[in-house]
Amino acid sequence: MWEFEGPGAFGSLGRLMVTGEYFVNEGLVTEDQLKQAVEKQRELGANEPIANVLISMGFLSERDRVRCMGMAWGVEFVDLQERRPDPGVVPLVTARLARRFKVLPIAEEHGRLLVAMANPLDIFVIDELRMMTEKEIEPLITVEEDLKSAIDFCYSSDGAAPDALKGVIDEFDTEFELNTGSKDEELTADELRELGEEAPIVRLANLIINQAISDGASDIHVEPKESGVKIRYRIDGVMHDGMTLPKKVQASLASRIKIMADMDIAEKRVPQDNRISATIQGKVYDFRVSTLPVVYGEKIVLRVLDRANVHIGLSKLGFLPDTLEQLEEVCARAYGIILATGPTGSGKSTTLYSILNKLNNGDTNIITVEDPVEYEIDGINQCNVNVKAGMTFPAALRAMLRQDPDIIMVGEMRDTETATIAMEAALTGHLVLSTLHTNDAAGAPTRLIEMGVEPFLISSSVIAVQAQRLVRSVCPRCRERYSVTREALLRYGLPVPDEVGAETGGTIQLFRAKGCDYCLGTGYKGRNGIHELMVLTDDIRDELLKKSPSHVVRNLAIESGMRTLQADALRKVLLGLTTIDEVLRVIYSG
């Protein structure tokens, strides 16, 4: 009946897992799906829990796995995407201990404190909570990822940021007067460095970065204006206004960020680029820092790179089960080119890193050339492009091929020479991954031909093209259900199958965004991938040799079973993962 994993079922690292039959009995997976998962488990090794295999294959959700574990143990499941903790009980546990123990107080009922936990069987943590709060503890089980998000939200949205900001600005004002004697004079490099290392400005920079991490921002923008400094964050692909700082902090804030990124603080006339590494809230982050001289000073952008994203896994990128299965089959091939296409910010790099992480089993020599390296992965040799030193994509590729590689990743196919070398490498027994800027999968071969690559090389080497976009996920806490007719969806230009709405008289139930504190009033929380995977068939290869236009290739791919971006987006809408408005914004905006 039970599977055990870890040093002890009741220890903080232990996991008590239910068997696959339990999920079948609950109607969550079929017997056939369980058989497929068992075969996969044999390939991976007996130590891999069957639940994890079912999740990786897309047959079981993490939420259903955790809920079933709770049922088996007799522990109530709490969905933190639906239930918000009572603000009155959250302070009973400090932020530090909440993150350390992975616990969050939810409510107090009948003299007992309900606590959401990642591991509700950890009696040591429960005893610690009982002594700390002087209350009886009733543990609830929840999804660990949701728990981390809820902890970050509950302990960062209590109004402390504005108060801290005011205190930092007041303290900075005093320090500024003491160090310079005037707010208008031009500061020297030594004075800038001294101010950049003062406690108030250090705390201000940390506050800005911590706010970005808490809000899940992908970029931090420090924008100098005529009368102040504006801080803006890109969250789920959309820009949001943050704090506005007085003009007096501009020079020292820029200096502080440059000091952290090991840049030249005295150089303000030319752009600079570098990186910062830091551990924040127990996680390791890299920040890619870029400065740009603008009218009122230096604009600084920090790209937030969460190293955990490298290990997120293909199964968590929003692929539908059949598309994921196809992609995994393609990635298992020994040679050929796999291309990821889409506009900037569509998640191409994350997809390729997830593929590399899956292939990084220690049996292969993997080398990448990137501009620049975004995430560092153990066991993979990664090179940065350096044009000034002669380390271009073509030069790096030629050098890599002399390093006995099995798998190569080229950050981007920018020119004919790079693409040609990569394809020749694929033909000589290497698996090559790369990105290309095209609107859809079928447009990639045409784009390569326009770049000057010979059609026979494309036809012989490319094995699959994966186009993608990122759409915002509708907030699970405030989303609203509504009805729409099938004809209305057709008017939007969406490819609605005949069977959709057939059993309900043509009426379809969807969700729309509303807005709450959890999603910062946007109605959306997080993002989901929209995918289009074109696996090259013999018919498609024949058309490429004829230099046929992309619409011919696209029609052949659809006939071969390819689900288009529009069709994949519609599936995500029908599943309640996103909204029609978001799909129209992303898919039909080019």
Side-chain angles (χ1 to χ4, degrees):
M1 175 81 183
W2 306 105
E3 296 177 354
F4 292 88
E5 182 188 69
F10 295 91
S12 60
L13 297 177
R15 293 287 185 187
L16 184 61
M17 313 293 286
V18 295
T19 59
E21 285 77 8
Y22 195 97
F23 301 119
V24 173
N25 294 337
E26 290 296 318
L28 298 172
V29 300
T30 64
E31 290 281 0
D32 183 59
Q33 289 173 332
L34 180 58
K35 288 178 182 177
Q36 293 180 49
V38 170
E39 292 176 6
K40 185 86 171 179
Q41 185 188 38
R42 291 195 187 102
E43 296 175 12
L44 297 172
N47 291 330
E48 186 69 22
I50 191 66
N52 291 1
V53 180
L54 287 166
I55 291 171
S56 69
M57 297 179 73
F59 297 151
L60 181 72
S61 71
E62 175 67 10
R63 185 163 275 95
D64 283 336
R65 181 188 75 85
V66 174
R67 184 172 56 80
C68 283
M69 288 170 61
M71 291 169 60
W73 300 343
V75 178
E76 183 182 345
F77 171 75
V78 58
D79 190 343
L80 291 179
Q81 291 192 359
E82 300 290 344
R83 181 173 181 178
R84 294 193 60 182
D86 180 356
V89 301
V90 170
L92 294 175
V93 176
T94 65
R96 183 178 64 84
L97 291 179
R99 291 190 172 97
R100 176 185 169 193
F101 292 147
K102 296 180 182 177
V103 298
L104 180 65
I106 298 297
E108 189 172 357
E109 296 179 1
H110 310 298
R112 298 171 67 85
L113 184 64
L114 309 186
V115 181
M117 303 179 64
N119 184 1
L121 300 185
D122 194 329
I123 57 176
F124 302 108
V125 170
I126 293 172
D127 285 342
E128 186 75 20
L129 292 172
R130 185 183 296 114
M131 289 186 290
M132 180 195 311
T133 62
E134 298 182 348
K135 297 179 182 294
E136 285 300 312
I137 304 299
E138 181 174 336
L140 311 176
I141 192 170
T142 192
V143 178
E144 187 169 340
E145 189 174 334
D146 291 347
L147 179 59
K148 289 179 180 178
S149 297
I151 289 172
D152 289 341
F153 174 77
C154 289
Y155 289 102
S156 66
S157 60
D158 55 0
D163 293 340
L165 176 61
K166 183 178 183 301
V168 166
I169 297 301
D170 290 343
E171 190 176 352
F172 173 83
D173 201 11
T174 303
E175 294 285 352
F176 194 97
E177 295 283 5
L178 290 174
N179 281 278
T180 69
S182 169
K183 299 180 183 180
D184 299 321
E185 66 183 51
E186 183 71 22
L187 300 178
T188 66
D190 290 339
E191 287 173 331
L192 283 173
R193 181 170 293 279
E194 185 177 349
L195 276 177
E197 293 176 344
E198 291 289 345
I201 206 65
V202 170
R203 284 201 292 274
L204 176 60
N206 291 345
L207 179 67
I208 292 169
I209 292 173
N210 275 309
Q211 189 66 43
I213 299 300
S214 296
D215 291 345
S218 61
D219 299 87
I220 306 168
H221 291 244
V222 182
E223 303 176 348
K225 304 297 181 183
E226 183 177 8
S227 58
V229 180
K230 196 169 190 177
I231 308 299
R232 298 206 296 163
Y233 300 106
R234 186 177 295 279
I235 303 172
D236 295 335
V238 178
M239 294 295 293
H240 294 267
D241 289 340
M243 58 192 82
T244 299
L245 307 175
K247 190 71 173 176
K248 61 193 173 189
V249 308
Q250 178 176 317
S252 51
L253 178 58
S255 296
R256 176 57 193 165
I257 296 174
K258 286 182 174 182
I259 289 170
M260 294 168 69
D262 196 22
M263 292 178 172
D264 183 354
I265 63 172
E267 182 56 76
K268 305 175 185 178
R269 299 165 299 176
V270 297
Q272 297 187 63
D273 292 278
N274 217 331
R275 298 173 72 94
I276 300 170
S277 292
T279 301
I280 302 170
Q281 298 175 4
K283 294 177 68 177
V284 179
Y285 292 87
D286 290 326
F287 299 87
R288 201 168 71 206
V289 186
S290 170
T291 70
L292 177 70
V294 293
V295 174
Y296 295 110
E298 285 183 288
K299 184 182 190 297
I300 303 176
V301 175
L302 294 87
R303 167 64 59 88
V304 183
L305 303 171
D306 182 356
R307 291 189 187 179
N309 288 344
V310 180
H311 307 288
I312 195 171
L314 286 171
S315 62
K316 295 184 179 179
L317 296 182
F319 287 97
L320 292 172
D322 54 345
T323 306
L324 178 61
E325 185 179 357
Q326 267 191 311
L327 182 59
E328 288 181 333
E329 288 176 359
V330 169
C331 293
R333 299 191 189 181
Y335 59 90
I337 289 184
I338 301 171
L339 292 173
T341 75
T344 301
S346 59
K348 302 186 297 295
S349 295
T350 300
T351 298
L352 292 188
Y353 276 116
S354 297
I355 292 174
L356 285 180
N357 198 57
K358 179 180 178 63
L359 298 174
N360 184 24
N361 55 15
D363 297 335
T364 53
N365 178 21
I366 304 176
I367 309 178
T368 75
V369 55
E370 306 166 60
D371 184 22
V373 172
E374 289 195 359
Y375 299 100
E376 296 178 11
I377 308 177
D378 289 338
I380 294 180
N381 305 286
Q382 298 171 267
C383 309
N384 268 313
V385 166
N386 188 337
V387 177
K388 289 182 180 179
M391 183 70 161
T392 60
F393 274 117
L397 260 174
R398 290 191 183 94
M400 287 161 59
L401 291 172
R402 294 191 289 271
Q403 293 285 315
D404 185 33
D406 298 295
I407 300 168
I408 296 169
M409 186 181 94
V410 183
E412 184 181 346
M413 287 192 177
R414 295 180 178 174
D415 52 66
T416 307
E417 190 177 7
T418 302
T420 301
I421 296 171
M423 291 182 184
E424 289 172 351
L427 292 176
T428 54
H430 305 89
L431 183 65
V432 181
L433 310 177
S434 190
T435 68
L436 197 64
H437 288 285
T438 61
N439 288 331
D440 58 13
T446 304
R447 174 77 182 108
L448 290 170
I449 291 173
E450 290 172 351
M451 288 169 58
V453 181
E454 292 293 337
F456 77 89
L457 272 179
I458 302 169
S459 175
S460 304
S461 61
V462 178
I463 55 177
V465 183
Q466 211 281 143
Q468 63 184 71
R469 300 288 191 279
L470 288 177
V471 294
R472 291 180 293 172
S473 300
V474 64
C475 177
R477 294 188 178 180
C478 65
R479 63 182 185 177
E480 290 182 332
R481 188 185 295 273
Y482 72 105
S483 298
V484 65
T485 63
R486 183 174 183 276
E487 288 72 22
L489 291 182
L490 289 171
R491 284 198 293 272
Y492 285 126
L494 294 172
V496 187
D498 294 337
E499 63 271 16
V500 173
E503 297 180 358
T504 55
T507 301
I508 303 166
Q509 294 292 313
L510 302 178
F511 288 97
R512 60 185 165 206
K514 181 182 178 183
C516 64
D517 291 341
Y518 179 66
C519 61
L520 304 178
T522 63
Y524 298 93
K525 188 71 174 178
R527 288 194 286 180
N528 209 315
I530 303 296
H531 305 97
E532 177 179 277
L533 180 63
M534 181 179 78
V535 179
L536 270 68
T537 62
D538 290 340
D539 290 339
I540 293 176
R541 296 182 195 280
D542 289 342
E543 293 300 328
L544 295 182
L545 290 172
K546 299 175 188 176
K547 296 186 179 180
S548 297
S550 59
H551 69 85
V552 174
V553 175
R554 178 182 175 84
N555 290 337
L556 271 177
I558 293 172
E559 290 174 9
S560 301
M562 181 186 79
R563 183 185 296 111
T564 65
L565 285 169
Q566 292 80 4
D568 196 76
L570 178 63
R571 288 282 296 273
K572 303 292 169 60
V573 170
L574 296 175
L575 290 170
L577 300 177
T578 189
T579 65
I580 289 290
D581 290 341
E582 182 66 5
V583 166
L584 295 177
R585 181 183 74 85
V586 174
I587 300 297
Y588 292 97
S589 62

